[in-house]
Amino acid sequence: MARKPKAVDIRNRPVYHEYFIDDTFVAGALLLGTEVKALREGKASFNDAYCQFNKGELWLKSLHISPYSHGTDNNHDPLRDRKLLLKKRELSRLESKIKEKGYTIVPVRIFTSDKNLIKIEIGLARGKKLYDKRESIKARDNDRDLKRYLK
């Protein structure tokens, strides 16, 4: 009997502290077999990961996927660039938004779809200033105190 593959849900939590996420998109990714196996083990790091356009295609840069533990000498390069798969309409919309000042595209999470395909949720983001970060922390603390009080 075949085993069901382990579900993947890896989140980039610091991205919400650093950016305002205006819009999100779900993209497929061109991954190697050892990358998929490593992701199913939960071996990914979003440190400094971002998306960039190159000749009309969207590429995910500096996402660290650790080498697969049982891989051979044919294991993947952990920091290689990975192509993201989106519809042309979505790509053109993102590309026009990126040309505006202050916008960037960042990966928000990696997850498995209903068909056990690896998907990457990307967000159209604007950077936060220091005072915005302080306001976010204050609002989070107030919500936490309110929940404590209501319990």
Side-chain angles (χ1 to χ4, degrees), residues 22 94-105 124-127 129:
D22 290 345
L94 280 171
E95 197 164 14
S96 65
K97 280 289 198 181
I98 289 299
K99 290 179 182 173
E100 293 179 23
K101 187 177 179 189
Y103 278 105
T104 187
I105 303 173
L124 184 62
R126 287 181 293 123
K129 303 281 189 221

Side-chain angles (χ1 to χ4, degrees), residues 30-56:
L30 288 180
L31 299 173
L32 300 174
T34 55
E35 289 175 326
V36 173
K37 291 178 180 186
L39 284 173
R40 293 201 192 278
E41 289 181 345
K43 307 279 183 163
S45 174
F46 287 101
N47 291 349
D48 302 329
Y50 63 98
C51 299
Q52 186 175 29
F53 278 96
N54 186 9
K55 298 179 185 173

